[in-house]
mmCIF file of all heavy atoms in Angstrom:
data_model
loop_
_atom_site.group_PDB
_atom_site.id
_atom_site.type_symbol
_atom_site.label_atom_id
_atom_site.label_comp_id
_atom_site.label_asym_id
_atom_site.label_seq_id
_atom_site.Cartn_x
_atom_site.Cartn_y
_atom_site.Cartn_z
ATOM 1 N N SER A 1175 -175.805 190.248 -67.939
ATOM 2 C CA SER A 1175 -176.370 189.548 -66.788
ATOM 3 C C SER A 1175 -176.826 190.532 -65.715
ATOM 4 O O SER A 1175 -177.897 190.360 -65.115
ATOM 5 C CB SER A 1175 -175.337 188.566 -66.218
ATOM 6 O OG SER A 1175 -175.928 187.726 -65.252
ATOM 7 N N PHE A 1176 -176.052 191.576 -65.458
ATOM 8 C CA PHE A 1176 -176.479 192.586 -64.489
ATOM 9 C C PHE A 1176 -177.737 193.309 -64.955
ATOM 10 O O PHE A 1176 -178.600 193.660 -64.146
ATOM 11 C CB PHE A 1176 -175.362 193.597 -64.235
ATOM 12 C CG PHE A 1176 -174.505 193.284 -63.043
ATOM 13 C CD1 PHE A 1176 -173.164 192.979 -63.193
ATOM 14 C CD2 PHE A 1176 -175.034 193.290 -61.766
ATOM 15 C CE1 PHE A 1176 -172.370 192.687 -62.099
ATOM 16 C CE2 PHE A 1176 -174.251 193.006 -60.656
ATOM 17 C CZ PHE A 1176 -172.916 192.698 -60.830
ATOM 18 N N ARG A 1177 -177.848 193.543 -66.257
ATOM 19 C CA ARG A 1177 -179.061 194.178 -66.781
ATOM 20 C C ARG A 1177 -180.292 193.328 -66.442
ATOM 21 O O ARG A 1177 -181.318 193.841 -65.975
ATOM 22 C CB ARG A 1177 -178.943 194.374 -68.292
ATOM 23 C CG ARG A 1177 -180.224 194.888 -68.935
ATOM 24 C CD ARG A 1177 -180.090 195.006 -70.451
ATOM 25 N NE ARG A 1177 -181.385 195.243 -71.058
ATOM 26 C CZ ARG A 1177 -181.969 196.446 -71.157
ATOM 27 N NH1 ARG A 1177 -181.339 197.510 -70.688
ATOM 28 N NH2 ARG A 1177 -183.158 196.576 -71.713
ATOM 29 N N THR A 1178 -180.166 192.019 -66.669
ATOM 30 C CA THR A 1178 -181.280 191.112 -66.363
ATOM 31 C C THR A 1178 -181.612 191.132 -64.879
ATOM 32 O O THR A 1178 -182.782 191.152 -64.485
ATOM 33 C CB THR A 1178 -180.919 189.686 -66.813
ATOM 34 O OG1 THR A 1178 -180.635 189.687 -68.219
ATOM 35 C CG2 THR A 1178 -182.056 188.723 -66.533
ATOM 36 N N ILE A 1179 -180.575 191.132 -64.038
ATOM 37 C CA ILE A 1179 -180.788 191.149 -62.591
ATOM 38 C C ILE A 1179 -181.512 192.426 -62.164
ATOM 39 O O ILE A 1179 -182.474 192.398 -61.374
ATOM 40 C CB ILE A 1179 -179.449 191.016 -61.850
ATOM 41 C CG1 ILE A 1179 -178.851 189.613 -62.043
ATOM 42 C CG2 ILE A 1179 -179.605 191.338 -60.368
ATOM 43 C CD1 ILE A 1179 -179.611 188.511 -61.350
ATOM 44 N N LEU A 1180 -181.049 193.572 -62.675
ATOM 45 C CA LEU A 1180 -181.680 194.840 -62.304
ATOM 46 C C LEU A 1180 -183.154 194.865 -62.716
ATOM 47 O O LEU A 1180 -184.022 195.307 -61.940
ATOM 48 C CB LEU A 1180 -180.931 195.998 -62.963
ATOM 49 C CG LEU A 1180 -179.585 196.374 -62.333
ATOM 50 C CD1 LEU A 1180 -178.846 197.374 -63.219
ATOM 51 C CD2 LEU A 1180 -179.771 196.947 -60.937
ATOM 52 N N MET A 1181 -183.439 194.395 -63.921
ATOM 53 C CA MET A 1181 -184.825 194.405 -64.388
ATOM 54 C C MET A 1181 -185.686 193.448 -63.572
ATOM 55 O O MET A 1181 -186.842 193.746 -63.255
ATOM 56 C CB MET A 1181 -184.868 194.057 -65.869
ATOM 57 C CG MET A 1181 -184.197 195.106 -66.758
ATOM 58 S SD MET A 1181 -184.214 194.690 -68.508
ATOM 59 C CE MET A 1181 -185.956 194.832 -68.862
ATOM 60 N N ARG A 1182 -185.130 192.297 -63.210
ATOM 61 C CA ARG A 1182 -185.905 191.358 -62.401
ATOM 62 C C ARG A 1182 -186.176 191.947 -61.018
ATOM 63 O O ARG A 1182 -187.217 191.665 -60.403
ATOM 64 C CB ARG A 1182 -185.162 190.028 -62.280
ATOM 65 C CG ARG A 1182 -186.005 188.928 -61.622
ATOM 66 C CD ARG A 1182 -185.194 187.683 -61.379
ATOM 67 N NE ARG A 1182 -184.061 187.907 -60.504
ATOM 68 C CZ ARG A 1182 -184.144 188.091 -59.184
ATOM 69 N NH1 ARG A 1182 -185.324 188.104 -58.593
ATOM 70 N NH2 ARG A 1182 -183.060 188.270 -58.468
ATOM 71 N N ARG A 1183 -185.245 192.764 -60.519
ATOM 72 C CA ARG A 1183 -185.454 193.406 -59.223
ATOM 73 C C ARG A 1183 -186.371 194.625 -59.309
ATOM 74 O O ARG A 1183 -186.611 195.302 -58.324
ATOM 75 C CB ARG A 1183 -184.104 193.840 -58.628
ATOM 76 C CG ARG A 1183 -183.198 192.687 -58.227
ATOM 77 C CD ARG A 1183 -181.918 193.226 -57.601
ATOM 78 N NE ARG A 1183 -181.000 192.162 -57.200
ATOM 79 C CZ ARG A 1183 -179.821 192.373 -56.609
ATOM 80 N NH1 ARG A 1183 -179.434 193.615 -56.339
ATOM 81 N NH2 ARG A 1183 -179.049 191.363 -56.281
ATOM 82 N N GLY A 1184 -186.836 194.937 -60.512
ATOM 83 C CA GLY A 1184 -187.726 196.079 -60.678
ATOM 84 C C GLY A 1184 -187.015 197.407 -60.771
ATOM 85 O O GLY A 1184 -187.642 198.461 -60.559
ATOM 86 N N GLU A 1185 -185.732 197.408 -61.114
ATOM 87 C CA GLU A 1185 -184.952 198.639 -61.223
ATOM 88 C C GLU A 1185 -184.629 198.917 -62.680
ATOM 89 O O GLU A 1185 -184.290 198.002 -63.444
ATOM 90 C CB GLU A 1185 -183.658 198.521 -60.402
ATOM 91 C CG GLU A 1185 -183.906 198.250 -58.931
ATOM 92 C CD GLU A 1185 -182.611 198.062 -58.143
ATOM 93 O OE1 GLU A 1185 -181.620 198.736 -58.480
ATOM 94 O OE2 GLU A 1185 -182.599 197.246 -57.213
ATOM 95 N N LYS A 1186 -184.703 200.169 -63.078
ATOM 96 C CA LYS A 1186 -184.442 200.550 -64.460
ATOM 97 C C LYS A 1186 -182.938 200.676 -64.686
ATOM 98 O O LYS A 1186 -182.264 201.459 -64.015
ATOM 99 C CB LYS A 1186 -185.122 201.874 -64.791
ATOM 100 C CG LYS A 1186 -184.920 202.297 -66.243
ATOM 101 C CD LYS A 1186 -185.622 203.599 -66.542
ATOM 102 C CE LYS A 1186 -185.389 204.011 -67.995
ATOM 103 N NZ LYS A 1186 -186.080 205.281 -68.323
ATOM 104 N N PRO A 1187 -182.375 199.909 -65.638
ATOM 105 C CA PRO A 1187 -180.938 200.043 -65.929
ATOM 106 C C PRO A 1187 -180.653 201.383 -66.612
ATOM 107 O O PRO A 1187 -181.220 201.685 -67.665
ATOM 108 C CB PRO A 1187 -180.668 198.866 -66.881
ATOM 109 C CG PRO A 1187 -181.833 197.943 -66.743
ATOM 110 C CD PRO A 1187 -182.998 198.820 -66.411
ATOM 111 N N ARG A 1188 -179.788 202.164 -66.021
ATOM 112 C CA ARG A 1188 -179.429 203.467 -66.573
ATOM 113 C C ARG A 1188 -177.965 203.469 -66.994
ATOM 114 O O ARG A 1188 -177.203 202.583 -66.638
ATOM 115 C CB ARG A 1188 -179.668 204.572 -65.533
ATOM 116 C CG ARG A 1188 -181.098 204.616 -65.000
ATOM 117 C CD ARG A 1188 -181.239 205.679 -63.922
ATOM 118 N NE ARG A 1188 -182.549 205.666 -63.310
ATOM 119 C CZ ARG A 1188 -183.613 206.296 -63.813
ATOM 120 N NH1 ARG A 1188 -183.489 207.002 -64.933
ATOM 121 N NH2 ARG A 1188 -184.786 206.239 -63.208
ATOM 122 N N ARG A 1189 -177.600 204.510 -67.735
ATOM 123 C CA ARG A 1189 -176.222 204.597 -68.196
ATOM 124 C C ARG A 1189 -175.249 204.654 -67.022
ATOM 125 O O ARG A 1189 -174.132 204.155 -67.108
ATOM 126 C CB ARG A 1189 -176.043 205.842 -69.081
ATOM 127 C CG ARG A 1189 -174.667 205.908 -69.731
ATOM 128 C CD ARG A 1189 -174.439 207.211 -70.478
ATOM 129 N NE ARG A 1189 -173.159 207.212 -71.157
ATOM 130 C CZ ARG A 1189 -171.989 207.458 -70.575
ATOM 131 N NH1 ARG A 1189 -171.967 207.730 -69.266
ATOM 132 N NH2 ARG A 1189 -170.858 207.420 -71.257
ATOM 133 N N THR A 1190 -175.668 205.241 -65.921
ATOM 134 C CA THR A 1190 -174.789 205.409 -64.766
ATOM 135 C C THR A 1190 -175.067 204.386 -63.665
ATOM 136 O O THR A 1190 -174.654 204.582 -62.528
ATOM 137 C CB THR A 1190 -174.954 206.824 -64.202
ATOM 138 O OG1 THR A 1190 -176.339 207.052 -63.892
ATOM 139 C CG2 THR A 1190 -174.482 207.869 -65.196
ATOM 140 N N SER A 1191 -175.764 203.297 -64.006
ATOM 141 C CA SER A 1191 -176.157 202.330 -62.974
ATOM 142 C C SER A 1191 -175.022 201.416 -62.541
ATOM 143 O O SER A 1191 -175.059 200.884 -61.429
ATOM 144 C CB SER A 1191 -177.321 201.464 -63.482
ATOM 145 O OG SER A 1191 -178.491 202.207 -63.632
ATOM 146 N N LEU A 1192 -174.011 201.194 -63.394
ATOM 147 C CA LEU A 1192 -173.033 200.147 -63.092
ATOM 148 C C LEU A 1192 -171.609 200.629 -63.329
ATOM 149 O O LEU A 1192 -170.897 200.142 -64.212
ATOM 150 C CB LEU A 1192 -173.325 198.895 -63.929
ATOM 151 C CG LEU A 1192 -172.682 197.592 -63.426
ATOM 152 C CD1 LEU A 1192 -173.244 197.199 -62.066
ATOM 153 C CD2 LEU A 1192 -172.885 196.454 -64.426
ATOM 154 N N ARG A 1193 -171.189 201.634 -62.547
ATOM 155 C CA ARG A 1193 -169.771 201.995 -62.580
ATOM 156 C C ARG A 1193 -168.999 200.857 -61.930
ATOM 157 O O ARG A 1193 -169.285 200.447 -60.801
ATOM 158 C CB ARG A 1193 -169.496 203.301 -61.847
ATOM 159 C CG ARG A 1193 -168.021 203.727 -61.989
ATOM 160 C CD ARG A 1193 -167.713 204.989 -61.233
ATOM 161 N NE ARG A 1193 -168.188 206.179 -61.887
ATOM 162 C CZ ARG A 1193 -167.565 206.804 -62.879
ATOM 163 N NH1 ARG A 1193 -166.435 206.305 -63.373
ATOM 164 N NH2 ARG A 1193 -168.062 207.906 -63.397
ATOM 165 N N THR A 1194 -167.986 200.366 -62.629
ATOM 166 C CA THR A 1194 -167.317 199.133 -62.243
ATOM 167 C C THR A 1194 -165.830 199.374 -62.005
ATOM 168 O O THR A 1194 -165.157 200.032 -62.811
ATOM 169 C CB THR A 1194 -167.500 198.065 -63.348
ATOM 170 O OG1 THR A 1194 -168.895 197.873 -63.563
ATOM 171 C CG2 THR A 1194 -166.866 196.748 -62.952
ATOM 172 N N LEU A 1195 -165.340 198.858 -60.901
ATOM 173 C CA LEU A 1195 -163.908 198.903 -60.607
ATOM 174 C C LEU A 1195 -163.225 197.780 -61.387
ATOM 175 O O LEU A 1195 -163.458 196.595 -61.135
ATOM 176 C CB LEU A 1195 -163.678 198.726 -59.107
ATOM 177 C CG LEU A 1195 -162.222 198.632 -58.639
ATOM 178 C CD1 LEU A 1195 -161.467 199.907 -58.948
ATOM 179 C CD2 LEU A 1195 -162.158 198.307 -57.152
ATOM 180 N N VAL A 1196 -162.391 198.156 -62.353
ATOM 181 C CA VAL A 1196 -161.671 197.195 -63.187
ATOM 182 C C VAL A 1196 -160.181 197.323 -62.890
ATOM 183 O O VAL A 1196 -159.529 198.245 -63.385
ATOM 184 C CB VAL A 1196 -161.948 197.430 -64.684
ATOM 185 C CG1 VAL A 1196 -161.189 196.422 -65.545
ATOM 186 C CG2 VAL A 1196 -163.449 197.346 -64.970
ATOM 187 N N PRO A 1197 -159.608 196.446 -62.059
ATOM 188 C CA PRO A 1197 -158.172 196.502 -61.815
ATOM 189 C C PRO A 1197 -157.389 196.217 -63.093
ATOM 190 O O PRO A 1197 -157.792 195.398 -63.928
ATOM 191 C CB PRO A 1197 -157.943 195.401 -60.774
ATOM 192 C CG PRO A 1197 -159.288 195.177 -60.155
ATOM 193 C CD PRO A 1197 -160.275 195.421 -61.254
ATOM 194 N N VAL A 1198 -156.254 196.895 -63.242
ATOM 195 C CA VAL A 1198 -155.393 196.737 -64.411
ATOM 196 C C VAL A 1198 -153.985 196.423 -63.919
ATOM 197 O O VAL A 1198 -153.427 197.166 -63.104
ATOM 198 C CB VAL A 1198 -155.375 198.016 -65.271
ATOM 199 C CG1 VAL A 1198 -154.493 197.818 -66.497
ATOM 200 C CG2 VAL A 1198 -156.782 198.412 -65.679
ATOM 201 N N SER A 1199 -153.417 195.335 -64.409
ATOM 202 C CA SER A 1199 -152.080 194.955 -63.963
ATOM 203 C C SER A 1199 -151.037 195.914 -64.523
ATOM 204 O O SER A 1199 -151.071 196.282 -65.700
ATOM 205 C CB SER A 1199 -151.760 193.529 -64.417
ATOM 206 O OG SER A 1199 -150.434 193.181 -64.059
ATOM 207 N N VAL A 1200 -150.111 196.333 -63.674
ATOM 208 C CA VAL A 1200 -148.946 197.114 -64.104
ATOM 209 C C VAL A 1200 -147.672 196.322 -63.781
ATOM 210 O O VAL A 1200 -146.604 196.878 -63.557
ATOM 211 C CB VAL A 1200 -148.913 198.511 -63.436
ATOM 212 C CG1 VAL A 1200 -150.081 199.354 -63.907
ATOM 213 C CG2 VAL A 1200 -148.935 198.401 -61.915
ATOM 214 N N ARG A 1201 -147.829 195.019 -63.783
ATOM 215 C CA ARG A 1201 -146.736 194.106 -63.418
ATOM 216 C C ARG A 1201 -145.927 193.749 -64.656
ATOM 217 O O ARG A 1201 -146.483 193.334 -65.678
ATOM 218 C CB ARG A 1201 -147.323 192.850 -62.790
ATOM 219 C CG ARG A 1201 -146.305 191.855 -62.263
ATOM 220 C CD ARG A 1201 -147.017 190.675 -61.624
ATOM 221 N NE ARG A 1201 -147.766 191.094 -60.446
ATOM 222 C CZ ARG A 1201 -147.250 191.144 -59.233
ATOM 223 N NH1 ARG A 1201 -145.990 190.792 -59.025
ATOM 224 N NH2 ARG A 1201 -147.991 191.533 -58.210
ATOM 225 N N SER A 1202 -144.622 193.891 -64.564
ATOM 226 C CA SER A 1202 -143.753 193.507 -65.671
ATOM 227 C C SER A 1202 -143.574 191.998 -65.684
ATOM 228 O O SER A 1202 -143.793 191.313 -64.681
ATOM 229 C CB SER A 1202 -142.392 194.194 -65.544
ATOM 230 O OG SER A 1202 -141.765 193.831 -64.317
ATOM 231 N N ALA A 1203 -143.182 191.456 -66.840
ATOM 232 C CA ALA A 1203 -143.069 190.008 -66.999
ATOM 233 C C ALA A 1203 -142.044 189.412 -66.043
ATOM 234 O O ALA A 1203 -142.224 188.293 -65.547
ATOM 235 C CB ALA A 1203 -142.706 189.671 -68.444
ATOM 236 N N ASP A 1204 -140.971 190.145 -65.744
ATOM 237 C CA ASP A 1204 -139.930 189.591 -64.877
ATOM 238 C C ASP A 1204 -140.321 189.610 -63.399
ATOM 239 O O ASP A 1204 -139.605 189.071 -62.554
ATOM 240 C CB ASP A 1204 -138.604 190.334 -65.074
ATOM 241 C CG ASP A 1204 -138.723 191.823 -64.775
ATOM 242 O OD1 ASP A 1204 -139.854 192.297 -64.558
ATOM 243 O OD2 ASP A 1204 -137.687 192.505 -64.783
ATOM 244 N N ALA A 1205 -141.472 190.222 -63.076
ATOM 245 C CA ALA A 1205 -141.943 190.246 -61.684
ATOM 246 C C ALA A 1205 -143.273 189.515 -61.551
ATOM 247 O O ALA A 1205 -144.014 189.744 -60.603
ATOM 248 C CB ALA A 1205 -142.077 191.681 -61.197
ATOM 249 N N ALA A 1206 -143.544 188.586 -62.494
ATOM 250 C CA ALA A 1206 -144.855 187.936 -62.532
ATOM 251 C C ALA A 1206 -145.151 187.144 -61.271
ATOM 252 O O ALA A 1206 -146.300 187.028 -60.858
ATOM 253 C CB ALA A 1206 -144.952 187.040 -63.758
ATOM 254 N N ASP A 1207 -144.117 186.547 -60.661
ATOM 255 C CA ASP A 1207 -144.368 185.694 -59.496
ATOM 256 C C ASP A 1207 -143.943 186.343 -58.185
ATOM 257 O O ASP A 1207 -143.875 185.676 -57.164
ATOM 258 C CB ASP A 1207 -143.660 184.353 -59.666
ATOM 259 C CG ASP A 1207 -142.156 184.505 -59.864
ATOM 260 O OD1 ASP A 1207 -141.693 185.647 -60.025
ATOM 261 O OD2 ASP A 1207 -141.452 183.476 -59.878
ATOM 262 N N ARG A 1208 -143.672 187.639 -58.195
ATOM 263 C CA ARG A 1208 -143.282 188.315 -56.953
ATOM 264 C C ARG A 1208 -144.522 188.551 -56.106
ATOM 265 O O ARG A 1208 -145.516 189.130 -56.570
ATOM 266 C CB ARG A 1208 -142.594 189.636 -57.253
ATOM 267 C CG ARG A 1208 -142.160 190.378 -55.990
ATOM 268 C CD ARG A 1208 -141.373 191.623 -56.305
ATOM 269 N NE ARG A 1208 -141.087 192.375 -55.097
ATOM 270 C CZ ARG A 1208 -140.127 192.123 -54.243
ATOM 271 N NH1 ARG A 1208 -139.335 191.087 -54.460
ATOM 272 N NH2 ARG A 1208 -139.926 192.862 -53.176
ATOM 273 N N PRO A 1209 -144.525 188.116 -54.836
ATOM 274 C CA PRO A 1209 -145.723 188.262 -54.002
ATOM 275 C C PRO A 1209 -145.928 189.693 -53.518
ATOM 276 O O PRO A 1209 -145.377 190.116 -52.499
ATOM 277 C CB PRO A 1209 -145.449 187.302 -52.835
ATOM 278 C CG PRO A 1209 -143.956 187.245 -52.743
ATOM 279 C CD PRO A 1209 -143.440 187.413 -54.133
ATOM 280 N N ASP A 1210 -146.719 190.443 -54.245
ATOM 281 C CA ASP A 1210 -147.112 191.787 -53.854
ATOM 282 C C ASP A 1210 -148.247 192.218 -54.776
ATOM 283 O O ASP A 1210 -148.731 191.436 -55.596
ATOM 284 C CB ASP A 1210 -145.938 192.781 -53.914
ATOM 285 C CG ASP A 1210 -145.308 192.882 -55.298
ATOM 286 O OD1 ASP A 1210 -145.891 192.337 -56.266
ATOM 287 O OD2 ASP A 1210 -144.239 193.503 -55.440
ATOM 288 N N ASN A 1211 -148.673 193.471 -54.645
ATOM 289 C CA ASN A 1211 -149.752 194.000 -55.471
ATOM 290 C C ASN A 1211 -149.195 195.059 -56.415
ATOM 291 O O ASN A 1211 -148.535 196.005 -55.966
ATOM 292 C CB ASN A 1211 -150.842 194.616 -54.592
ATOM 293 C CG ASN A 1211 -151.661 193.578 -53.860
ATOM 294 O OD1 ASN A 1211 -152.670 193.088 -54.359
ATOM 295 N ND2 ASN A 1211 -151.219 193.209 -52.655
ATOM 296 N N ARG A 1212 -149.458 194.878 -57.702
ATOM 297 C CA ARG A 1212 -149.014 195.838 -58.714
ATOM 298 C C ARG A 1212 -150.167 196.067 -59.686
ATOM 299 O O ARG A 1212 -150.206 195.502 -60.775
ATOM 300 C CB ARG A 1212 -147.767 195.331 -59.445
ATOM 301 C CG ARG A 1212 -146.607 195.029 -58.499
ATOM 302 C CD ARG A 1212 -145.315 194.780 -59.209
ATOM 303 N NE ARG A 1212 -144.270 194.385 -58.279
ATOM 304 C CZ ARG A 1212 -142.967 194.395 -58.559
ATOM 305 N NH1 ARG A 1212 -142.548 194.779 -59.753
ATOM 306 N NH2 ARG A 1212 -142.089 194.012 -57.654
ATOM 307 N N VAL A 1213 -151.116 196.857 -59.243
ATOM 308 C CA VAL A 1213 -152.299 197.116 -60.052
ATOM 309 C C VAL A 1213 -152.632 198.598 -60.047
ATOM 310 O O VAL A 1213 -152.324 199.324 -59.100
ATOM 311 C CB VAL A 1213 -153.523 196.316 -59.552
ATOM 312 C CG1 VAL A 1213 -153.313 194.831 -59.750
ATOM 313 C CG2 VAL A 1213 -153.837 196.633 -58.097
ATOM 314 N N SER A 1214 -153.250 199.022 -61.140
ATOM 315 C CA SER A 1214 -153.895 200.318 -61.208
ATOM 316 C C SER A 1214 -155.381 200.047 -61.437
ATOM 317 O O SER A 1214 -155.827 198.911 -61.330
ATOM 318 C CB SER A 1214 -153.291 201.156 -62.345
ATOM 319 O OG SER A 1214 -153.848 202.454 -62.345
ATOM 320 N N VAL A 1215 -156.152 201.073 -61.740
ATOM 321 C CA VAL A 1215 -157.599 200.874 -61.875
ATOM 322 C C VAL A 1215 -158.145 201.661 -63.057
ATOM 323 O O VAL A 1215 -157.573 202.666 -63.487
ATOM 324 C CB VAL A 1215 -158.363 201.300 -60.597
ATOM 325 C CG1 VAL A 1215 -157.960 200.447 -59.425
ATOM 326 C CG2 VAL A 1215 -158.165 202.776 -60.302
ATOM 327 N N MET A 1216 -159.268 201.176 -63.561
ATOM 328 C CA MET A 1216 -160.141 201.947 -64.452
ATOM 329 C C MET A 1216 -161.550 201.871 -63.865
ATOM 330 O O MET A 1216 -161.877 200.903 -63.172
ATOM 331 C CB MET A 1216 -160.115 201.406 -65.878
ATOM 332 C CG MET A 1216 -158.772 201.550 -66.571
ATOM 333 S SD MET A 1216 -158.842 201.164 -68.342
ATOM 334 C CE MET A 1216 -159.347 199.438 -68.311
ATOM 335 N N LEU A 1217 -162.353 202.887 -64.152
ATOM 336 C CA LEU A 1217 -163.700 202.965 -63.571
ATOM 337 C C LEU A 1217 -164.741 203.218 -64.662
ATOM 338 O O LEU A 1217 -165.430 204.254 -64.659
ATOM 339 C CB LEU A 1217 -163.768 204.073 -62.513
ATOM 340 C CG LEU A 1217 -162.888 203.893 -61.276
ATOM 341 C CD1 LEU A 1217 -162.920 205.155 -60.416
ATOM 342 C CD2 LEU A 1217 -163.356 202.702 -60.459
ATOM 343 N N PRO A 1218 -164.906 202.307 -65.596
ATOM 344 C CA PRO A 1218 -165.891 202.532 -66.658
ATOM 345 C C PRO A 1218 -167.319 202.247 -66.185
ATOM 346 O O PRO A 1218 -167.540 201.502 -65.226
ATOM 347 C CB PRO A 1218 -165.476 201.516 -67.723
ATOM 348 C CG PRO A 1218 -164.913 200.376 -66.925
ATOM 349 C CD PRO A 1218 -164.201 201.024 -65.753
#
């Protein structure tokens, strides 16, 4: 979908056009409902 959007906007989709912040949970099952933030990240 982002590829289509970029092309419609007149921009060339490149390999480095869409670095994305992907949060990754580091929450254990026994803390599933604890109100806080337990995430790490990947940047593909």
Side-chain angles (χ1 to χ4, degrees):
S1175 190
F1176 265 115
R1177 174 183 169 83
T1178 302
I1179 291 291
L1180 284 171
M1181 294 179 68
R1182 189 186 60 74
R1183 292 182 180 181
E1185 301 177 35
K1186 182 179 179 179
R1188 304 177 185 276
R1189 187 186 184 280
T1190 56
S1191 292
L1192 198 65
R1193 185 182 284 279
T1194 303
L1195 175 63
V1196 180
V1198 181
S1199 176
V1200 294
R1201 184 178 295 272
S1202 60
D1204 59 352
D1207 58 352
R1208 180 175 174 81
D1210 58 10
N1211 287 271
R1212 303 191 185 196
V1213 294
S1214 184
V1215 297
M1216 294 190 298
L1217 296 172

